[in-house]
Amino acid sequence: MNYPDYRPRRLRKNDNFRRMIRETNLSADNLIYPLFAVPGTKVKKPIVSMPGIFQMSVDHLVKETQRAKDLGIPAVLLFGIPEKKDEIASGAMAADGIVQRAIRGIKEKVPDIMVITDVCLCEYTSHGHCGMLDKGEVDNDSTLEVLVETAVSHAKAGADMVAPSAMMDGQIAAIREGLDEAGFETVPIMAYSAKYASCFYGPFREAAESVPAFGDRRAYQMDPANSDEAMREITLDVGEGADIIMVKPALVYLDVIRRAKEEFDLPLAAYNVSGEFSMIKAAAQMGWLDGERAMLETLTAIRRAGADMIITYFAPEAAKLLGK
Ligand code: PBG
């Protein structure tokens, strides 16, 4: 059918028509809210490059989690900044480590929100890399053991799901086996399967104090030029026992999200990363963009590309606008 018989504008006439034919929906159900835990009490330190986002001590973190729950957000994703960093990331798996304390604090006060933990070592190593160093390089297999211990310590503290993000080969299988052996066979794994070496993590590295002391992460995170390789990474993670797969970042990888949705049938997450958040915030502060509309359009686009869930610093703001 062609114009003038077919006039697409007929169904765009008003909001009721538009709502009726809308193909993609976005709700608080789709959102996961990342939080940064720091030691101490009454700490709420703004992250300059991420307006509205803070490093918080556990007391504030619990309050913020309660607010997220009240807005209808089903899950938070925890990152921790330890009191001290060392070569071997001992803060990552300590029973009284910062993330472990944050999990217990949230579980005690806000029991019915889901707590997901990021399992990586870059916030805990003095050199800022995501694994154990051997002759100046990140060693894959010795890192696996540390990641397993970290994931198990999160589960012991009460985490509902773990999210390994170190991009070490074999990390999902190793963590699955470790969790099962420790009696956590019902704790799922959300795998950062296709995680790119992206400049859009810049503001996060301020938030998590995890800038690498030398070099960069290109020897373990993926090359932005590759999409077939992302499918191979996801295939590996599915085979190793991932329950949810992830593409990260989201915005400049919408094509990868779409492919992942088409080629795999596991639930798919996308990480709307710090730089993607900061760009919109900065443009809105300058008065160059309508920040609310840019946020909703962005989140809708990530859903339209195929993501079932979106990890985003916009979660509370978006949930508030979207209603429960
Ligand atoms: C840990 C990790 C990073 C992010 C999530 N987990 C940083 C990195 O890999 O450098 C980035 C999140 C964001 O930018 O919002 N490895």
Side-chain angles (χ1 to χ4, degrees), residues 225-247:
N226 298 351
S227 149
D228 292 341
E229 187 191 3
M231 299 305 109
R232 293 198 292 276
E233 280 281 7
I234 298 174
T235 303
L236 285 170
D237 282 1
V238 172
E240 292 179 26
D243 298 277
I244 296 175
I245 52 176
M246 195 200 299
V247 173

Side-chain angles (χ1 to χ4, degrees), residues 118 120 122 195 201 204-205 217 221 248 273-274 313:
D118 185 85
C120 194
C122 54
K195 176 173 175 180
Y201 307 150
F204 172 95
R205 292 180 187 168
R217 304 205 202 292
Q221 298 180 347
K248 175 185 174 189
V273 301
S274 55
Y313 305 95

Side-chain angles (χ1 to χ4, degrees), residues 55-163:
Q55 292 180 339
M56 284 177 277
S57 51
V58 175
D59 49 338
H60 276 291
L61 205 76
V62 168
K63 278 189 224 154
E64 185 64 2
T65 304
Q66 181 67 53
R67 187 171 80 93
K69 190 195 166 287
D70 295 342
L71 287 165
I73 296 165
V76 293
L77 171 63
L78 293 185
F79 294 92
I81 297 102
E83 28 273 287
K84 66 175 191 4
K85 305 181 186 233
D86 57 27
E87 281 274 303
I88 54 166
S90 28
M93 74 296 260
D96 64 347
I98 181 62
V99 163
Q100 292 79 356
R101 296 202 303 272
I103 300 167
R104 287 193 292 265
I106 293 171
K107 281 288 148 192
E108 190 186 316
K109 298 270 173 41
V110 199
D112 44 3
I113 194 163
M114 202 203 328
V115 176
I116 310 170
T117 55
D118 185 85
V119 178
C120 194
L121 306 178
C122 54
E123 297 110 77
Y124 304 91
T125 50
S126 42
H127 44 75
H129 277 287
C130 301
M132 299 296 103
L133 292 189
D134 184 26
K135 300 183 200 80
E137 286 185 16
V138 175
D139 181 61
N140 196 86
D141 296 5
S142 56
T143 301
L144 292 183
E145 294 162 33
V146 187
L147 291 172
V148 170
E149 260 192 80
T150 302
V152 169
S153 79
H154 292 172
K156 279 187 181 149
D160 297 291
M161 178 152 74
V162 294

Side-chain angles (χ1 to χ4, degrees), residues 24-32 74 190 243-247 250 254 257-258 260-262 264-271 299-312:
T24 306
N25 55 29
L26 174 68
S27 88
D29 291 346
N30 311 127
L31 307 176
I32 299 171
M190 179 163 81
D243 298 277
I244 296 175
I245 52 176
M246 195 200 299
V247 173
L254 291 179
I257 295 175
R258 166 52 50 180
K261 181 67 182 171
E262 281 167 3
F264 299 90
D265 60 6
L266 283 186
L268 174 63
Y271 201 138
L299 297 174
T300 301
I302 298 169
R303 290 272 295 143
R304 191 194 62 231
D308 298 300
M309 60 205 100
I310 308 171
I311 302 166
T312 179

